[in-house]
Amino acid sequence: MAAPLSTAAAGWLSEPASSPPRVRLLIGGEFVESRATEYVDVTNPATQDVVSQIPLTTADEFKAAVDAARTAFPGWRNTPVTTRQRIMFKYQELIRANMDKLAENITTEQGKTLKDAWGDVFRGLEVVEHACGMGSLQMGEYVSNVSHGIDTFSIREPLGVCAGICPFNFPAMIPLWMFPIAVTCGNTFVLKPSEKDPGAAMMLAELAMEAGLPKGVLNIVHGTHDVVNNICDDEAIKAVSFVGSNTAGMHIYSRASAKGKRVQCNMGAKNHAIILPDADRDATLNALIAAGFGAAGQRCMALSTAVFVGGSEPWEDELVKRANSLVVNSGAANDADLGPVISRQAKDRICKLVQSGIDTGARIVLDGREIVVPHFEDGNFVGPTVLADVKSDMDCYKEEIFGPVLLLMKAESLDDAIQIVNRNKYGNGASIFTTSGVSARKFQSDIEAGQVGINVPIPVPLPFFSFTGSKASFAGDLNFYGKAGVQFFTQIKTITQQWKESSPQRVSLSMPTSQK
């Protein structure tokens, strides 16, 4: 088994004369100190302690990172795919050996529970494992003798320098959605982690180099708006992956695609579950609790809205009882079921949206806004919250809350429930809970969402499928990972060849066809 990282800081943190430590850049295979004059605090959301600081990468440093990726590309693209695969095999071994340390860093910077942070890493690891089969995933096509003595075949080639812009809610999983597939296809990469929790991405980069990734193949820059715009504008970058809010996502999609780049943007969501009266009561309640409140609701596939056919009243008492049994605590606590939300601003926004629902007629069934966690009084905690009698014109329904808030709605029939879901602008995921195969089949056929669960609350596919959000939840043509992910990071080249003994022929200026 590979030895774990020797220290939490390793090579990516500097120790200035005064604390807190500063996060370095990764350029050309070296962790380097930034010359930035401005830094952003990385804060533990349970304590408000400043964990570290990230630099606002300068224009020259950004250019150096892109140049390093561009310089590394010719040699890397010509590296045999079997060699690239072997690096991924070693990489997944190193990630496994360091999962606990990665999870600890995620809990410190992002706030989620250790168990949930471990799952964050593992879901990313599964993408690395999938990349280990790139020799098969990247296969082209061949047709012999399409015409007399002529063969045609297609191959998939890497694009060049690609870039990824990551959100705060999955500090390990989302970077691992992006660069392992990209680099195993033969591209080089510039990654911008979230400024709120960059540590996991830095640790993953260090492990990638230990696994054998050559210098310049993976580079990391830090920052906010300016570095995002630089990624969109730089002519050397051929493709951009983004996960985050709709506001940022549509800006990136518009700006980068206008520059001729290939772009994929996973954005906001309002994921619904339809509950039929015949649903398994115990399993359905557990699913609503887990998917609604897990990760403090900070998942793009969080189940935020439950539509009860016939009404929610018969379910509410038990739903509240189970939600009340959840332990809200620092993510590092062994008994924690959910930790804090990422920032004070996020908590304020969640609370305001809940209040707006109450002010417009929603019924508060469980209110977690005033929760205080002993010993963590300064933490950004919001307890499980349930609003009933929610209507589709309320702001709490129209906007993605991104917190531990479950909205309860009523529908008269399955058709009515499906219409409620389909009228919503988002299309990441939707689920149904029922024991009726007829109802489930109707749901999967009629629902307008990219990922559908049948008695499954969070239907996120494993990496041999793709993450297929739709409608306002996605911008682009090719989704993340799976076959679509490989297609996104490669371009098709089609070759038509003819080999024959030379013989005197008359020149023909007519259009070539397959006919003799």
Side-chain angles (χ1 to χ4, degrees), residues 297-332:
Q298 298 175 120
R299 293 170 175 157
C300 62
M301 284 295 287
L303 203 165
S304 58
T305 306
V307 183
F308 291 86
V309 175
S312 62
E313 288 85 352
W315 298 79
E316 288 176 13
D317 287 346
E318 186 61 27
L319 186 65
V320 168
K321 178 181 176 182
R322 298 189 189 201
N324 267 326
S325 71
L326 298 176
V327 176
V328 181
N329 204 343
S330 163

Coordinates of all heavy atoms in Angstrom, one line a residue, residues 297-332:
G297 N -28.0 19.9 2.7 CA -28.8 20.3 1.5 C -27.9 21.0 0.4 O -28.5 21.5 -0.6
Q298 N -26.6 20.9 0.6 CA -25.7 21.6 -0.4 C -25.2 20.6 -1.5 O -24.1 20.4 -1.7 CB -24.5 22.2 0.4 CG -24.9 23.3 1.4 CD -23.8 23.8 2.2 OE1 -23.5 25.0 2.1 NE2 -23.1 22.9 2.9
R299 N -26.2 20.0 -2.1 CA -25.9 19.1 -3.3 C -26.8 19.6 -4.5 O -27.9 20.0 -4.3 CB -26.3 17.7 -2.9 CG -25.5 17.0 -1.8 CD -26.2 15.7 -1.5 NE -25.4 14.9 -0.5 CZ -25.9 14.0 0.3 NH1 -27.2 13.7 0.2 NH2 -25.1 13.3 1.1
C300 N -26.2 19.5 -5.6 CA -27.0 19.9 -6.8 C -28.0 18.8 -7.1 O -29.0 19.0 -7.9 CB -26.1 20.1 -8.0 SG -25.2 18.6 -8.5
M301 N -27.9 17.7 -6.4 CA -29.0 16.6 -6.6 C -29.7 16.4 -5.3 O -30.4 15.4 -5.1 CB -28.3 15.3 -7.0 CG -28.0 15.3 -8.5 SD -29.4 15.4 -9.6 CE -30.1 13.7 -9.4
A302 N -29.6 17.4 -4.4 CA -30.4 17.3 -3.1 C -31.9 17.3 -3.5 O -32.4 17.9 -4.4 CB -30.2 18.5 -2.2
L303 N -32.7 16.5 -2.7 CA -34.1 16.4 -3.0 C -34.8 17.5 -2.1 O -35.0 17.3 -0.9 CB -34.6 15.0 -2.6 CG -35.9 14.5 -3.2 CD1 -36.0 13.0 -3.0 CD2 -37.1 15.2 -2.7
S304 N -35.1 18.6 -2.8 CA -35.5 19.7 -2.1 C -37.1 19.9 -2.0 O -37.6 20.7 -1.2 CB -34.9 21.0 -2.7 OG -35.3 21.1 -4.1
T305 N -37.8 19.2 -2.9 CA -39.2 19.3 -3.0 C -39.9 18.0 -3.1 O -39.6 17.2 -3.9 CB -39.6 20.2 -4.2 OG1 -38.9 21.4 -4.2 CG2 -41.1 20.5 -4.3
A306 N -40.9 17.8 -2.2 CA -41.6 16.5 -2.2 C -43.1 16.8 -2.5 O -43.7 17.7 -1.9 CB -41.6 15.8 -0.8
V307 N -43.6 16.2 -3.6 CA -44.9 16.4 -4.1 C -45.8 15.2 -3.7 O -45.6 14.1 -4.2 CB -45.0 16.6 -5.6 CG1 -46.4 16.9 -6.0 CG2 -44.0 17.8 -6.0
F308 N -46.7 15.4 -2.7 CA -47.5 14.3 -2.2 C -48.8 14.2 -3.0 O -49.6 15.2 -2.9 CB -47.7 14.4 -0.7 CG -46.5 14.3 0.1 CD1 -45.7 15.3 0.4 CD2 -46.2 13.0 0.7 CE1 -44.5 15.2 1.1 CE2 -45.1 12.9 1.5 CZ -44.2 13.9 1.7
V309 N -49.1 13.1 -3.7 CA -50.4 13.0 -4.3 C -51.4 12.6 -3.2 O -51.3 11.6 -2.5 CB -50.3 11.8 -5.3 CG1 -51.7 11.6 -5.9 CG2 -49.3 12.2 -6.5
G310 N -52.3 13.5 -3.0 CA -53.3 13.4 -2.0 C -53.0 14.3 -0.8 O -53.9 14.4 0.2
G311 N -51.8 14.9 -0.7 CA -51.5 15.8 0.4 C -50.5 15.2 1.3 O -50.3 14.0 1.4
S312 N -49.8 16.1 2.1 CA -48.6 15.7 2.9 C -49.0 15.4 4.3 O -48.2 14.9 5.1 CB -47.5 16.8 2.9 OG -48.1 18.0 3.4
E313 N -50.2 15.8 4.8 CA -50.6 15.8 6.2 C -50.4 14.4 6.8 O -49.8 14.3 7.9 CB -52.0 16.2 6.4 CG -52.2 17.7 6.3 CD -52.5 18.1 4.8 OE1 -52.3 17.3 3.9 OE2 -52.8 19.3 4.6
P314 N -50.7 13.3 6.2 CA -50.5 12.0 6.8 C -49.1 11.6 7.0 O -48.8 10.7 7.8 CB -51.2 11.0 5.8 CG -52.1 11.8 5.0 CD -51.5 13.2 4.9
W315 N -48.2 12.3 6.4 CA -46.7 12.0 6.4 C -46.0 12.9 7.4 O -44.9 12.6 7.8 CB -46.1 12.1 5.0 CG -46.6 11.2 4.0 CD1 -47.8 11.4 3.3 CD2 -46.0 10.0 3.5 NE1 -48.0 10.3 2.4 CE2 -46.9 9.5 2.5 CE3 -44.9 9.3 3.8 CZ2 -46.6 8.3 1.8 CZ3 -44.6 8.2 3.1 CH2 -45.4 7.7 2.1
E316 N -46.6 14.1 7.7 CA -45.8 15.1 8.4 C -45.3 14.8 9.7 O -44.1 15.1 10.1 CB -46.6 16.4 8.4 CG -46.8 17.0 7.0 CD -47.7 18.3 7.1 OE1 -48.0 18.7 8.2 OE2 -48.1 18.7 6.0
D317 N -46.1 14.2 10.6 CA -45.7 13.9 12.0 C -44.4 13.0 12.0 O -43.5 13.3 12.7 CB -46.8 13.3 12.8 CG -47.9 14.2 13.1 OD1 -47.7 15.5 13.0 OD2 -49.0 13.8 13.5
E318 N -44.5 12.0 11.2 CA -43.3 11.0 11.2 C -42.1 11.7 10.5 O -41.0 11.5 10.9 CB -43.7 9.7 10.5 CG -42.6 8.7 10.6 CD -42.3 8.2 12.0 OE1 -43.1 8.3 12.9 OE2 -41.1 7.8 12.2
L319 N -42.4 12.5 9.5 CA -41.3 13.2 8.8 C -40.6 14.1 9.8 O -39.3 14.1 9.9 CB -41.8 14.0 7.6 CG -40.8 14.6 6.7 CD1 -39.9 13.6 6.0 CD2 -41.5 15.5 5.7
V320 N -41.3 14.9 10.6 CA -40.7 15.8 11.6 C -40.0 15.0 12.7 O -38.9 15.4 13.1 CB -41.8 16.7 12.2 CG1 -41.3 17.4 13.4 CG2 -42.4 17.6 11.1
K321 N -40.6 13.9 13.1 CA -40.0 13.1 14.1 C -38.6 12.6 13.7 O -37.6 12.7 14.4 CB -40.9 11.9 14.5 CG -40.3 11.0 15.5 CD -41.2 9.8 15.7 CE -40.6 8.8 16.7 NZ -41.5 7.6 16.9
R322 N -38.5 12.1 12.4 CA -37.2 11.6 12.0 C -36.2 12.8 11.7 O -35.0 12.6 12.0 CB -37.4 10.8 10.7 CG -38.3 9.6 11.0 CD -38.3 8.6 9.8 NE -39.3 7.6 10.0 CZ -39.4 6.4 9.4 NH1 -38.4 6.1 8.5 NH2 -40.3 5.5 9.7
A323 N -36.7 13.9 11.2 CA -35.8 15.0 11.0 C -35.3 15.6 12.3 O -34.1 16.0 12.4 CB -36.6 16.1 10.2
N324 N -36.1 15.6 13.3 CA -35.7 16.0 14.7 C -34.7 15.1 15.3 O -33.9 15.5 16.2 CB -36.9 16.1 15.6 CG -37.5 17.5 15.6 OD1 -36.8 18.5 15.5 ND2 -38.8 17.6 15.8
S325 N -34.6 13.9 14.9 CA -33.6 12.9 15.4 C -32.2 13.1 14.8 O -31.3 12.6 15.4 CB -34.1 11.5 15.2 OG -34.0 11.2 13.8
L326 N -32.1 13.9 13.8 CA -30.8 14.2 13.2 C -30.0 15.0 14.1 O -30.4 16.0 14.7 CB -31.0 14.8 11.8 CG -31.7 14.0 10.8 CD1 -31.9 14.9 9.5 CD2 -31.0 12.7 10.4
V327 N -28.7 14.8 14.1 CA -27.7 15.5 15.0 C -27.0 16.6 14.1 O -26.4 16.2 13.1 CB -26.7 14.6 15.6 CG1 -25.7 15.4 16.4 CG2 -27.4 13.6 16.5
V328 N -27.2 17.8 14.5 CA -26.5 18.9 13.8 C -25.3 19.3 14.7 O -25.4 19.6 15.8 CB -27.4 20.1 13.7 CG1 -26.7 21.3 12.9 CG2 -28.7 19.7 12.9
N329 N -24.1 19.2 14.0 CA -22.9 19.4 14.8 C -21.8 19.7 13.9 O -21.9 19.7 12.6 CB -22.6 18.1 15.6 CG -21.7 18.4 16.9 OD1 -21.1 19.4 17.0 ND2 -21.7 17.5 17.8
S330 N -20.6 20.0 14.4 CA -19.4 20.1 13.6 C -19.2 18.8 12.8 O -19.4 17.7 13.3 CB -18.2 20.4 14.5 OG -17.0 20.1 13.8
G331 N -18.9 19.0 11.6 CA -18.7 17.8 10.7 C -17.7 16.8 11.3 O -17.7 15.6 10.9
A332 N -16.7 17.3 12.1 CA -15.7 16.5 12.7 C -16.2 15.6 13.8 O -15.5 14.7 14.3 CB -14.5 17.3 13.1

